[in-house]
Amino acid sequence: MKYFSLVVPVLFILVFLFALFKKVKLYDSFTAGVKESLPLAFSLFPYLAAILMLSELFEKSGLSEMVTSFLSPAFRFLGIPPEIAKLVLIKPFSGSGSTALLNEILTAYGADSYIGRCACVSYGSSETVFYISAVYFASVKYKKLLKPVSIALFANFVTVVFGCFLCRFM
């Protein structure tokens, strides 16, 4: 396990040696890259701040509980355990929030249970759609978000349904 901690330093040294071999001015290249990244970071900040605040408000306001209880029957019909409904709803908004929910589910039901397996598959097969969209669309000129975000949310949901279906047989 401790050998894996060497991957990044070894990779860094290899890139450094390759750059020396190619006679690249390392420090100048590094500072030029940093200069280009600062405007991107500043343009991303408002989008990321909005997503983080909205996901926290969604959780703290109790709206997530209301939506979860409302959608649980539909999730049960589609084969998604109601116990992971909150995870399915939070994952597109918050990676750290969904990690905490996954931990709670695994603590309560165990990793080998059907609910635990469904939670793990749901967590691993979906993405924080709104965070990724904020990062990606902040750096491009295309701002029509409805279609790509809708497709990403639909794809996330389909993977959860299919993943829970597969967990029945595993």
Side-chain angles (χ1 to χ4, degrees):
M1 185 69 172
K2 66 181 180 178
Y3 294 115
F4 288 114
S5 63
L6 297 175
V7 169
V8 172
V10 167
L11 185 63
F12 182 78
I13 290 169
L14 289 174
V15 169
F16 180 75
L17 292 173
F18 181 75
L20 282 176
F21 177 74
K22 290 288 189 173
K23 296 185 172 115
V24 173
K25 294 181 180 178
L26 291 172
Y27 188 74
D28 293 339
S29 298
F30 177 76
T31 55
V34 169
K35 284 180 189 175
E36 292 176 15
S37 68
L38 288 177
L40 176 63
F42 286 126
S43 69
L44 284 177
F45 182 75
Y47 297 101
L48 295 178
I51 293 300
L52 293 173
M53 285 189 279
L54 289 174
S55 64
E56 190 67 21
L57 282 172
F58 182 67
E59 179 66 28
K60 296 295 183 188
S61 68
L63 186 59
S64 68
E65 289 292 332
M66 290 173 22
V67 171
T68 300
S69 62
F70 177 74
L71 292 177
S72 286
F75 281 7
R76 184 179 288 118
F77 176 75
L78 293 170
I80 301 172
E83 294 84 359
I84 71 165
K86 193 172 181 180
L87 175 67
V88 173
L89 294 175
I90 293 294
K91 180 66 176 182
F93 293 99
S94 171
S96 58
S98 59
T99 302
L101 281 173
L102 178 64
N103 185 39
E104 289 176 16
I105 291 168
L106 293 179
T107 301
Y109 299 100
D112 291 333
S113 67
Y114 172 68
I115 294 169
R117 289 191 315 268
C118 286
C120 289
V121 169
S122 167
Y123 178 83
S125 67
S126 58
E127 188 55 70
T128 52
V129 172
F130 293 102
Y131 177 81
I132 297 298
S133 298
V135 170
Y136 177 74
F137 287 110
S139 62
V140 297
K141 303 259 187 270
Y142 182 80
K143 299 294 180 188
K144 296 178 183 175
L145 300 176
L146 183 62
K147 191 183 289 184
V149 170
S150 299
I151 291 169
L153 288 172
F154 179 73
N156 270 355
F157 189 70
V158 169
T159 60
V160 170
V161 171
F162 187 66
C164 289
F165 173 74
L166 290 177
C167 285
R168 290 184 188 197
F169 305 108
M170 298 175 129

